[in-house]
Amino acid sequence: LDFEEFTSFQQLGTHFTTQGFSVTATSGDMLAYSVGSVSTVPESGSTSIGMSNNPNAPTPVNSSLTFATEDGSTFDLLSFRASEGRNQGRFFADFASTAIDIMGTRADGSTVSLNFAFDGIASDSPATDFETVLFSGFTGLTSFSVTGQGGTRGGYAFQLDDVQLQPSAIPLPAGAPLVLSSFALLGALRLRRKSRAA
């Protein structure tokens, strides 16, 4: 998922769809940052999705968004790139997430999670500060969520780009190896009978 359909800076609200996925902000609003649209946003080389929240809220709630397949099919999450976020295009440590929590939900209801701490390198310059997050065991998912953590005002802001996914492998039924070995045995017996008859 590269978000390249968004060619300008725009507010996406709390929901959009892209490449067979439904993306929903469960806390905060989403923004599309195209390359060069906001000079102080760290560029990833392509459009990225940013999360923000209301810093003036009486009780700040950390920003969170969820990706889910539209058709309910399962997928494996391999990696994505993430960055500390911005508030109105500028970096403020109070608003930027210092870490993100990622939780994947599988079709059977089980979950897998990862906490990723940012390196803390961020400034008001267009320099890239995206880091690659790699996943292991995030397989057979129907959805995953990303929640910002830290920041003295609640970890409002983070950005995502280049979400790498693949369809999950379809597992063989439990009895499939036994059935396949039975066919192999029958085939061997048949060949043996033919060789005797000849």
Side-chain angles (χ1 to χ4, degrees), residues 73-149:
S73 60
T74 60
F75 63 92
D76 302 341
L77 175 60
L78 306 177
S79 68
F80 58 58
R81 298 202 303 146
S83 169
E84 297 98 332
R86 297 295 187 267
N87 181 57
Q88 297 180 347
R90 296 184 65 81
F91 175 76
F92 297 98
D94 285 357
F95 305 136
S97 300
T98 56
I100 49 176
D101 287 332
I102 306 99
M103 186 174 76
T105 302
R106 298 190 177 100
D108 64 4
S110 63
T111 60
V112 59
S113 62
L114 174 74
N115 173 268
F116 181 84
F118 290 118
D119 60 14
I121 301 171
S123 63
D124 281 336
S125 74
T128 300
D129 189 38
F130 277 77
E131 301 171 65
T132 299
V133 184
L134 300 173
F135 297 93
S136 175
F138 278 69
T139 56
L141 306 180
T142 55
S143 69
F144 71 92
S145 63
V146 182
T147 303
Q149 299 294 339

Side-chain angles (χ1 to χ4, degrees), residues 145-165:
S145 63
V146 182
T147 303
Q149 299 294 339
T152 59
R153 295 289 298 276
Y156 296 109
F158 59 86
Q159 288 175 247
L160 299 179
D161 197 7
D162 301 326
V163 180
Q164 299 293 319
L165 311 160

